[in-house]
Amino acid sequence: MAMAGMMIGAFVGMLSETSLNIALPNLMDTFGLAASTVQWLVTGYMLVIGIILPFSSLITKWFTTRQIVIFGLLDFIMGAVISALAPNFAILLTGRMIQGIATGLILPLMFTVAMAVFPPYKLGTAMGMCALVIMFAPAVGPTVTGLILGELSWNWIFWLFVPFLTIALILSLIGLENVGHVTKPHVDILSLVESIIAFSCLVMGASFASGLGCWTSPIVLGMLVVGVLVLAAYVHRQLNIEAPVLNLRVFAKSSFAKGTACVMVDFAIILSSMYLLPQYIQRGMLLAVAFTGIIMLPGGIVNAIVSAFAGRLYDAIGAKKPASLGFLIAAIGTTMLLFATKDSSVAYIISAHIILMIGCPLAMSPSQTHALSSLKGLESADGSTILNTLQQVIGAIATALATSFLAFGQNSYTGKNDAAAFTNGTHYGFLFTLVLTILGLIIALTFKDKKTNK
């Protein structure tokens, strides 16, 4: 009960992050917008999350857990209602960005509270519950949106969030307890400014590359260069000031660094594949949007089931074996999608998606627990903040790279069949995803076994 409201809020936040991908063509028609403009509904949301997340550890030292979560849920409800009632694109985008504030506040706090509430011998189970939120939402997002758009208007995507958020708010008011202590430390203003500029430029640069389909655009290159340079200055300052906004020294711990790397790779696999697969089903296999949602559903269900018990595997055998096996299984599912054609059967695509959805959560939860369990006390909040911040940046970059490979594959196709050309493009995109699964497997094999770690 103590974490139920927070987990529902985090789930809706992650669902909101991925659910609009399948609805973008519909919104383009509704508002008469170009793809590069409507893409701001995704970019703006991720941008606000990317700005808020680095401050989440600092915010927990200035406000209580209850204050942050209750404010976040109220903020999310307000943003969802504004988006649902939006008469034009500007107001819709405003509502989306308001929702991003809530996700940026609640998501990292969920892990921090789990680390504080659960005893060490149940930490894997707790992280499994958190991973269920992170992994299940992106997996079922296309299904939920597809079913809604098959029967209702896009407004109902946002109305769907409201009852769940209301339940989360009630549960939080009743059962959520404060974790940690409010110390109100000194705030380094220069660090805050550097953080905002760095993460904003990185997320926007990658998102613009995704929308424009080009990494060599001056605006993309300019933002990425500024983002990297300011980020380097931010990191240098955090490592050298007495009271850093974010304790980056936790990367000196090998378990945290390796676990974080695997989580980032796994998240990139999820977002790149979930970006490519719904589009392939619609534009490669030429199936309807509602049917696309149904095809994605079995994999989403399997994802939830595996996420539920993957954390317990860490409690029993540690992270190395389940994480390595997870990336290997994900590689098999991705390889199947790599060989899919425009004439592939629905059963084949569902099977490939299910295999992918077994592998990804099997790797995610143990890797996350491997990273966070190496931290103690206040370091846990910093570790959670780092994990969630990097997820947003990596997610934006992975989506942008998948878009670029998709476009390159389409353009390299010499035939005149549009469906075949798009399918060829997805092959290039899934090849990128396959490389990520191999990279994740290599890192996971370097984990220490649980007995050795003890």
Side-chain angles (χ1 to χ4, degrees):
M1 176 67 78
M3 289 189 61
M6 194 183 314
M7 294 184 73
I8 294 172
F11 174 81
V12 175
M14 292 302 297
L15 182 68
S16 179
E17 183 164 339
T18 57
S19 60
L20 275 196
N21 282 339
I22 201 171
L24 294 182
N26 187 295
L27 291 165
M28 288 168 62
D29 294 337
T30 300
F31 295 109
L33 300 171
S36 58
T37 302
V38 79
Q39 184 75 20
W40 270 99
L41 291 174
V42 178
T43 304
Y45 185 75
M46 295 181 71
L47 174 61
V48 174
I49 297 174
I51 291 173
I52 296 294
L53 274 172
F55 303 147
S56 59
S57 179
L58 178 64
I59 291 171
T60 59
K61 297 166 186 172
W62 274 82
F63 301 96
T64 67
T65 307
R66 285 176 59 85
Q67 288 173 334
I68 297 169
V69 173
I70 291 171
F71 171 81
L73 291 171
L74 288 171
D75 171 87
F76 210 137
I77 292 172
M78 180 178 70
V81 171
I82 290 173
S83 295
L85 296 173
N88 55 55
F89 179 74
I91 295 178
L92 175 60
L93 178 59
T94 300
R96 282 288 288 169
M97 296 179 80
I98 290 173
Q99 293 168 52
I101 296 173
T103 303
L105 290 172
I106 295 174
L107 196 59
L109 198 57
M110 176 179 66
F111 293 96
T112 303
V113 173
M115 295 286 290
V117 170
F118 288 88
Y121 64 89
K122 287 187 177 181
L123 191 57
T125 303
M127 290 296 105
M129 292 165 55
C130 295
L132 174 60
V133 170
I134 299 297
M135 300 292 287
F136 187 49
V140 301
T143 300
V144 173
T145 307
L147 294 175
I148 289 174
L149 294 178
E151 297 294 332
L152 302 167
S153 68
W154 61 266
N155 310 75
W156 286 94
I157 297 173
F158 299 103
W159 284 125
L160 176 68
F161 300 156
V162 175
F164 289 101
L165 292 168
T166 303
I167 293 172
L169 179 60
I170 294 171
L171 291 174
S172 297
L173 287 169
I174 294 174
L176 182 62
E177 298 179 2
N178 289 321
V179 172
H181 302 283
V182 176
T183 57
K184 296 188 176 182
H186 167 73
V187 178
D188 183 55
I189 301 300
L190 181 56
S191 293
L192 299 185
V193 174
E194 288 177 338
S195 174
I196 291 173
I197 294 174
F199 291 107
S200 296
C201 287
L202 289 173
V203 172
M204 288 179 67
S207 298
F208 274 129
S210 176
L212 298 173
C214 176
W215 286 86
T216 57
S217 165
I219 188 172
V220 172
L221 290 175
M223 285 188 172
L224 291 178
V225 169
V226 171
V228 170
L229 292 176
V230 177
L231 181 61
Y234 174 78
V235 170
H236 181 268
R237 186 166 182 80
Q238 300 315 297
L239 293 175
N240 289 279
I241 61 176
E242 185 176 343
V245 172
L246 199 57
N247 180 17
L248 299 180
R249 296 184 183 91
V250 294
F251 277 108
K253 299 187 176 183
S254 175
S255 294
F256 178 78
K258 291 177 180 179
T260 298
C262 277
V263 171
M264 296 307 103
V265 171
D266 202 39
F267 198 68
I269 293 169
I270 281 285
L271 285 196
S272 61
S273 60
M274 290 305 97
Y275 174 77
L276 293 166
L277 187 55
Q279 293 191 76
Y280 157 70
I281 295 171
Q282 292 178 75
R283 299 180 62 184
M285 299 176 70
L286 303 179
L287 298 176
V289 62
F291 194 35
T292 300
I294 295 173
I295 292 173
M296 302 287 288
L297 183 58
I301 294 173
V302 169
N303 183 305
I305 295 171
V306 177
S307 294
F309 77 78
R312 297 182 183 181
L313 290 177
Y314 176 87
D315 294 332
I317 60 175
K320 183 175 182 178
K321 291 179 181 178
S324 300
L325 181 60
F327 283 117
L328 182 61
I329 293 173
I332 295 172
T334 305
T335 303
M336 290 178 66
L337 293 173
L338 189 59
F339 286 99
T341 70
K342 65 182 183 65
D343 300 314
S344 294
S345 68
V346 170
Y348 179 85
I349 300 304
I350 291 176
S351 299
H353 185 216
I354 286 175
I355 292 173
L356 182 62
M357 290 296 101
I358 292 173
C360 287
L362 192 59
M364 174 65 82
S365 181
S367 298
Q368 207 156 33
T369 311
H370 186 73
L372 293 177
S373 63
S374 66
L375 307 180
K376 305 298 180 184
L378 294 176
E379 288 182 340
S380 298
D382 290 308
S384 176
T385 298
I386 290 169
L387 276 172
N388 287 283
T389 302
L390 289 179
Q391 280 182 353
Q392 297 306 313
V393 176
I394 294 298
I397 293 174
T399 302
L401 285 170
T403 302
S404 300
F405 285 115
L406 174 64
F408 182 78
Q410 281 184 274
N411 295 333
S412 66
Y413 185 77
T414 56
K416 295 182 179 180
N417 188 308
D418 291 341
F422 192 87
T423 300
N424 190 62
T426 60
H427 289 166
Y428 281 72
F430 284 125
L431 183 61
F432 164 65
T433 306
L434 180 61
V435 171
L436 290 174
T437 63
I438 296 171
L439 176 61
L441 176 60
I442 293 172
I443 300 172
L445 288 172
T446 66
F447 285 1
K448 290 183 181 180
D449 288 321
K450 192 171 184 180
K451 289 183 180 179
T452 306
N453 213 24
K454 284 184 178 179

